[in-house]
Amino acid sequence: MKNKLLLLCFFLSVGLGIAQETEEINTEYRAEREKVSDLVHTKLKVNFDFSKSQMAGEAWITLTPHFYNVSELELDAKAMLIHEITSDGKTLKYEYDNQKLIIDLGNTYAKGEEYIVYIKYTARPEEVEQEGSAAITSAKGLYFIDPLEKDPNKPTQIWTQGETEASSCWFPTIDAPNQKTSQEIYMTVPDQYVTLSNGLLKEQTKNNDGTRTDYWKFDKKHAPYLFFMGVGEFSIVEDTWKDIAVDYYVEEEYEPYAKGIFGLTPEMITFFSDYTGIEYPWSKYAQFIGRDYVSGAMENTTAVIHGEMAYQTASQLVDENTWESTIAHELFHHWFGDLVTAESWSNLTVNESFANYSQYLWYEYKYGRDHADAHRLEEIEGYMTPDNELKDLVRYHYNSKEDMFDAVSYNKGGAILHMLRAYLGDKAFQAGINQYLSDNAYGTGEAHQLRLAFEEVSGKDLNWFFNQWYFSNGHPVLDVKYVYSEEAKIVTVQIEQTQAGADVFEFPLAIEVFEGDSPKRYEVWVDKKSNSFSFKYTEKPDLVNVDADRTLLAEISDEKTTENLIHLYKVGKKYEDRKEAVEGLIEEQGSNDEAFKTIQTALNDSYYGIRIMAIEGIDLSHSDAKKAVKTIESLASNDEKTLVQAEAIKKLAEYDDKKYLDLLNTSLSSPSSAVKGSALKSLYWADKDAALTYANSITDDLEKEGLKAALMPIFIMDKTESQIAFVGGNLISGMFFTEDKEEQNIYKEGFQWVAATSDEEATQNLVDSFVKLGTQYKQYGADKIAIQVLSQVLGAKKASDFENKETLINIVQEGIASLQ
């Protein structure tokens, strides 16, 4: 599963000043689920009651004893009505507590014998009470979206979400990741809807009552949490990989953009097949975008679901496909997670850390190492919070299995795999991956099996690596100092491990010593709290670069001078080198002309991310800025990356908005949302009337969505009454998810404006947006935060003297009530 919002409520809480409570970790050992009976095959027949948000189901479950004889079967079945249970034509006795279904089999079965249990039941997802995976409010497994067609802006859909253990909300099963079963599903739906499930669509039968029954069959084995059903009105955009169907299920208005969003999927399948040495092992690959989906995306075998954030238009895709890494993540799960599944949630790392690292691998292959390294640093920053530093990667103690879906299992785990790859080398790393997957295909795995696979391939003992990175917590915090002896011509690099606690990390480390542009490379081993390494030189080094390969997961502080940073940019081959240099020199450019010149050089860096950083940070008031201005003018019109153009336009407008009016107006015709949005926001300050005229002329909903980041502050600052409903529904991101304090204040001003309005549509949109946030991300405490926000709105409505005051109050009160 890819959760794009792992830190969502952390930032929400910071934005609202709400303290985060630290939970005491449960000491209960979280073992792999004991296997008494093994699933063999699951056959389902289902049809849906939209009026009640329920599903009538029949299940034929084939099982076999794992080892010992069995006469009783325990299944997970949450909040169901059980109507009938039989086996071999005989009615079976059972006990049911709304969670567990314990069946007296009326016979004793030995290892190797198969038996089939038939269950007729009704799934009632709205009655389910349990936690859900990584921000899922109530993991009810089966989700009906606008089933009564009350919302004109939302299509009716059905989709399922099984991870962690919510498939048992819609069919009885042994809902554990260490179970594997084949499946077939007969889905009866209104004939206007299309369906999607795992495997292949074998047959469609039209019924006399206006419904249709689709028969989906999946022959290979996978875990119950990977079962999927999707229902709705979709355009199916067809693609292929070799002779395998690759389909994209999107709402009709996004059909023209489906291949822009998902079109690299076949190339990804080829890349991951080649990288793992195991050809894509499944019968198809489909991707489905569901409304109100409760996470980022989910790797249901052959039938991936994505949240609405995947939707983008041509003007947004010109800038970048913001969902591309998620597409790669879910695809790679079809090897790590689907083909080989974590045997328990404690070992989630063998699923999610690999899926996280696949994003790096794909970016490295497709766009080069700079782009991959930039992504890696963002992922590491997402991990670097105090609470994450206390968590082991493999965790046998946790409060809830849902707690495992965090930045340790994802971000840190991916960074650890990057270190392992660097230590072993590319060929051994790939061979180890292949060994692990081959040894455990269609079964389960854990961290120890992963270690053994890499050891078998490489011949290296890796206990030291796994003990500190997989079965312990934290990371090195290094204080680096350089001591030069001019007399002895020796530089001594002192490395002190200063992380909290008694644990000392050990790791290989590359150090490069530069006399001029060519380095002398030294590979050392750090294994003590205080470490010292001495290197001879002829002339005093221009730079000593610690962690020259930029692979170590650590916090490193050293004493690089301005001159060191200038040289680091000059000779640095890695993204992290140039990023560190530019960030440091931005602070020095006012007092050091060479620092300014280096930033000016960085305006033409080979990687667009560094170019953007240099544009943003360069001081155009510098006495020697004329050349920099000319460069930025060129970038604004000609850079191959529209994101760079957008940043250059913003910089020029800040420098002299009147001078660049023509550029701003011309840029409004750009095919890029980023360029157009940057120009529009800048135009507001240069020619307010022209900006408002243009902003108010946008009526196409998709175009408006693409330019939302530019339109929102303009409409708020201008208090454009005709746009207040649009503002009301789009405040959350700007209030809480921007580091720009000025912009955050504008959005908060917009919140106060909508809170104080008599406009019912704007009030409803505001309430709906916070209810959606609070409902979908309840596990993070977003429901409580949403209630606090809406209580402020309620107070404003109560204090008003509007004629429709009671209607406004009712809108807000209904929203609050739905969260309680």
Side-chain angles (χ1 to χ4, degrees):
M1 178 186 293
K2 173 69 174 181
N3 188 344
K4 298 290 280 189
L5 300 171
L6 281 169
L7 299 177
L8 181 146
C9 284
F10 169 76
F11 289 117
L12 271 177
S13 299
V14 170
L16 290 171
I18 298 172
Q20 293 287 294
E21 296 181 5
T22 301
E23 285 187 286
E24 186 174 333
I25 301 300
N26 194 316
T27 58
E28 178 186 351
Y29 175 72
R30 303 292 188 172
E32 176 188 8
R33 178 90 71 96
E34 181 180 1
K35 289 183 277 191
V36 178
S37 285
D38 293 336
L39 294 172
V40 175
H41 183 71
T42 303
K43 175 182 173 182
L44 302 173
K45 288 186 177 180
V46 303
N47 61 77
F48 306 97
D49 185 338
F50 288 83
S51 66
K52 296 180 179 178
S53 293
Q54 294 182 358
M55 184 192 83
E58 295 178 273
W60 291 261
I61 308 169
T62 305
L63 307 102
T64 187
H66 183 75
F67 186 82
Y68 302 104
N69 292 353
V70 300
S71 58
E72 184 177 88
L73 172 64
E74 181 179 299
L75 297 175
D76 299 289
K78 301 180 178 78
M80 295 179 182
L81 296 176
I82 305 298
H83 305 297
E84 181 184 359
I85 302 179
T86 64
S87 181
D88 199 23
K90 298 176 183 178
T91 300
L92 301 182
K93 297 179 180 179
Y94 63 90
E95 296 179 2
Y96 182 50
D97 65 359
N98 227 37
Q99 294 286 321
K100 298 287 186 180
L101 181 60
I102 300 173
I103 302 168
D104 182 347
L105 296 173
N107 199 356
T108 298
Y109 297 95
K111 180 178 174 62
E113 288 186 90
E114 290 186 357
Y115 61 95
I116 299 174
V117 173
Y118 166 80
I119 304 172
K120 187 175 183 179
Y121 64 97
T122 300
R124 301 180 298 165
E126 302 305 316
E127 305 298 318
V128 172
E129 294 182 3
Q130 66 169 355
E131 292 178 284
S133 178
I136 300 175
T137 167
S138 171
K140 52 191 179 182
L142 176 63
Y143 293 79
F144 288 79
I145 307 303
D146 194 30
L148 303 181
E149 301 182 0
K150 289 184 176 180
D151 188 341
N153 298 313
K154 187 178 294 184
T156 297
Q157 294 179 358
I158 296 171
W159 44 259
T160 60
Q161 169 60 33
E163 195 173 38
T164 49
E165 297 175 7
S167 286
S168 52
C169 299
W170 62 276
F171 66 95
T173 189
I174 303 174
D175 207 349
N178 63 355
Q179 290 284 338
K180 293 287 179 105
T181 175
S182 51
Q183 72 180 69
E184 51 189 319
I185 302 181
Y186 295 81
M187 299 167 59
T188 298
V189 299
D191 194 34
Q192 72 266 29
Y193 295 143
V194 300
T195 69
L196 176 65
S197 190
N198 315 89
L200 298 177
L201 180 59
K202 293 291 190 179
E203 186 178 282
Q204 293 185 298
T205 304
K206 291 199 174 189
N207 305 313
N208 294 328
D209 60 356
T211 64
R212 187 189 71 253
T213 300
D214 290 355
Y215 171 45
W216 290 88
K217 194 168 189 290
F218 183 83
D219 292 323
K220 295 182 178 180
K221 306 284 188 180
H222 67 159
Y225 75 83
L226 296 167
F227 279 45
F228 178 75
M229 295 189 301
V231 178
E233 294 185 83
F234 291 92
S235 294
I236 304 175
V237 178
E238 297 179 351
D239 210 337
T240 58
W241 180 76
K242 296 189 174 181
D243 59 348
I244 290 175
V246 178
D247 295 333
Y248 316 130
Y249 286 63
V250 297
E251 292 174 32
E252 184 179 7
E253 61 184 336
Y254 284 96
E255 182 177 349
Y257 317 116
K259 286 198 174 180
I261 298 167
F262 295 117
L264 289 175
T265 301
E267 186 178 351
M268 289 181 181
I269 298 175
T270 297
F271 171 65
F272 289 138
S273 294
D274 291 344
Y275 196 89
T276 61
I278 294 177
E279 187 163 293
Y280 178 74
W282 312 103
S283 57
K284 76 162 193 300
Y285 194 74
Q287 296 176 87
F288 172 109
I289 299 181
R291 285 292 188 104
D292 294 349
Y293 180 57
V294 290
S295 190
M298 178 64 205
E299 64 270 18
N300 312 298
T301 317
T302 75
V304 170
I305 183 171
H306 296 273
E308 294 163 74
M309 291 175 287
Y311 280 133
Q312 298 160 85
T313 62
S315 62
Q316 294 168 293
L317 291 165
V318 164
D319 300 321
E320 62 176 336
N321 183 347
T322 59
W323 209 249
E324 188 172 328
S325 66
T326 302
I327 294 167
H329 180 114
E330 302 309 327
L331 174 58
F332 204 57
H333 265 310
H334 281 68
W335 286 265
F336 288 92
D338 296 5
L339 181 62
V340 182
T341 307
E343 68 170 21
S344 68
W345 304 117
S346 294
N347 275 276
L348 185 65
T349 176
V350 298
N351 290 6
E352 294 300 349
S353 299
F354 274 100
N356 177 276
Y357 192 50
S358 74
Q359 300 163 222
Y360 181 96
L361 295 174
W362 169 252
Y363 280 158
E364 182 183 34
Y365 157 80
K366 186 66 177 175
Y367 305 110
R369 178 155 179 184
D370 279 349
H371 193 61
D373 285 341
H375 173 78
R376 173 177 169 269
L377 281 188
E378 288 179 1
E379 292 292 300
I380 289 174
E381 288 170 6
Y383 151 72
M384 290 285 187
T385 62
D387 58 329
N388 286 331
E389 294 171 14
L390 301 176
K391 300 174 184 175
D392 295 356
L393 183 58
V394 177
R395 261 167 282 165
Y396 291 106
H397 302 279
Y398 51 75
N399 293 333
S400 164
K401 55 187 178 293
E402 320 309 329
D403 296 341
M404 291 299 300
F405 292 79
D406 60 12
V408 176
S409 296
Y410 288 71
N411 309 38
K412 184 184 183 184
I416 289 169
L417 288 171
H418 188 64
M419 289 191 293
L420 183 60
R421 174 188 171 194
Y423 177 67
L424 295 175
D426 285 349
K427 288 185 178 179
F429 183 73
Q430 287 181 247
I433 282 176
N434 179 272
Q435 186 76 43
Y436 171 78
L437 292 172
S438 299
D439 288 348
N440 303 291
Y442 304 104
T444 60
E446 59 171 305
H448 288 299
Q449 289 165 289
L450 184 65
R451 173 181 58 81
L452 291 170
F454 281 118
E455 287 183 339
E456 181 177 344
V457 163
S458 69
K460 296 178 182 291
D461 180 90
L462 294 173
N463 277 293
W464 68 271
F465 185 94
F466 276 75
N467 285 343
Q468 73 180 6
W469 290 114
Y470 278 76
F471 300 105
S472 189
N473 54 62
H475 56 268
V477 179
L478 307 180
D479 184 26
V480 180
K481 291 184 170 59
Y482 311 102
V483 179
Y484 293 90
S485 171
E486 280 296 306
E487 183 178 353
K489 299 293 185 180
I490 289 175
V491 58
T492 299
V493 181
Q494 298 174 341
I495 302 175
E496 186 83 9
Q497 295 198 39
T498 64
Q499 62 270 10
D503 290 344
V504 172
F505 285 83
E506 60 173 308
F507 47 88
L509 191 68
I511 299 175
E512 291 182 344
V513 180
F514 286 84
E515 295 181 50
D517 295 350
S518 299
K520 290 182 179 178
R521 180 183 173 88
Y522 303 93
E523 295 183 358
V524 302
W525 192 270
V526 177
D527 58 3
K528 297 182 288 293
K529 183 175 179 62
S530 298
N531 305 264
S532 182
F533 307 99
S534 296
F535 312 107
K536 286 185 175 293
Y537 60 82
T538 304
E539 299 292 335
K540 185 175 180 180
D542 297 287
L543 170 70
V544 178
N545 197 17
V546 172
D547 188 27
D549 293 335
R550 299 290 187 164
T551 57
L552 184 64
L553 174 58
E555 296 176 74
I556 302 176
S557 60
D558 64 6
E559 300 175 337
K560 285 190 178 74
T561 64
T562 301
E563 289 70 25
N564 293 155
L565 292 171
I566 291 169
H567 203 75
L568 179 62
Y569 184 81
K570 181 181 178 183
V571 301
K573 296 179 180 179
K574 306 288 192 303
Y575 165 79
E576 295 95 323
D577 293 331
R578 283 138 48 221
K579 178 176 185 289
E580 179 186 352
V582 171
E583 286 180 337
L585 293 173
I586 284 171
E587 302 299 318
E588 303 295 329
Q589 63 182 315
S591 57
N592 188 303
D593 288 345
E594 290 303 314
F596 177 81
K597 289 178 181 178
T598 301
I599 300 169
Q600 186 169 261
T601 300
L603 292 172
N604 289 310
D605 193 273
S606 59
Y607 180 57
Y608 79 91
I610 298 292
R611 298 200 296 277
I612 289 173
M613 190 183 307
I615 293 168
E616 186 177 14
I618 198 165
D619 181 4
L620 294 184
S621 67
H622 192 279
S623 58
D624 197 23
K626 188 174 181 179
K627 180 180 176 183
V629 171
K630 289 292 185 185
T631 300
I632 295 173
E633 287 175 349
S634 176
L635 294 174
S637 300
N638 303 316
D639 197 278
E640 64 181 4
K641 290 294 291 184
T642 53
L643 294 175
V644 175
Q645 292 180 28
E647 190 64 38
I649 289 167
K650 176 184 176 184
K651 190 72 173 185
L652 292 173
E654 290 172 348
Y655 175 62
D656 188 346
D657 56 4
K658 301 296 183 185
K659 178 181 177 180
Y660 295 104
L661 264 176
D662 286 347
L663 172 65
L664 299 182
N665 282 300
T666 300
S667 298
L668 293 177
S669 300
S670 170
S672 156
S673 286
V675 170
K676 194 180 296 185
S678 179
L680 182 57
K681 288 174 75 173
S682 298
L683 185 63
Y684 182 80
W685 300 108
D687 188 343
K688 179 179 177 180
D689 289 342
L692 285 168
T693 298
Y694 182 85
N696 283 300
S697 72
I698 300 171
T699 57
D700 181 80
D701 288 342
L702 294 184
E703 184 180 3
K704 208 167 183 177
E705 179 67 21
L707 287 173
K708 180 170 59 179
L711 294 172
M712 283 289 290
I714 290 173
F715 291 148
I716 291 169
M717 289 185 291
D718 186 62
K719 298 293 186 294
T720 308
E721 286 293 339
S722 62
Q723 301 291 348
I724 193 170
F726 174 76
V727 170
N730 292 289
L731 287 164
I732 288 174
S733 61
M735 287 175 67
F736 303 112
F737 303 115
T738 176
E739 296 179 7
D740 187 327
K741 295 296 182 184
E742 183 178 346
E743 186 164 318
Q744 190 177 77
N745 288 333
I746 291 171
Y747 274 77
K748 288 182 177 179
E749 180 185 333
F751 170 76
Q752 297 297 334
W753 176 37
V754 177
T757 187
S758 62
D759 190 292
E760 294 175 16
E761 184 181 2
T763 301
Q764 187 70 64
N765 289 350
L766 176 67
V767 170
D768 288 347
S769 67
F770 275 94
V771 168
K772 181 176 181 178
L773 181 79
T775 300
Q776 290 186 347
Y777 303 102
K778 184 176 182 179
Q779 183 177 335
Y780 286 131
D783 56 333
K784 298 180 179 63
I785 294 166
I787 288 171
Q788 288 193 22
V789 173
L790 293 180
S791 295
Q792 295 178 35
V793 178
L794 182 61
K797 303 303 184 187
K798 287 182 174 179
S800 72
D801 56 2
F802 300 132
E803 290 185 4
N804 61 342
K805 175 178 178 177
E806 293 304 316
T807 300
L808 296 169
I809 289 172
N810 287 338
I811 290 171
V812 183
Q813 285 180 332
E814 287 178 6
I816 293 173
S818 70
L819 292 166
Q820 292 172 329

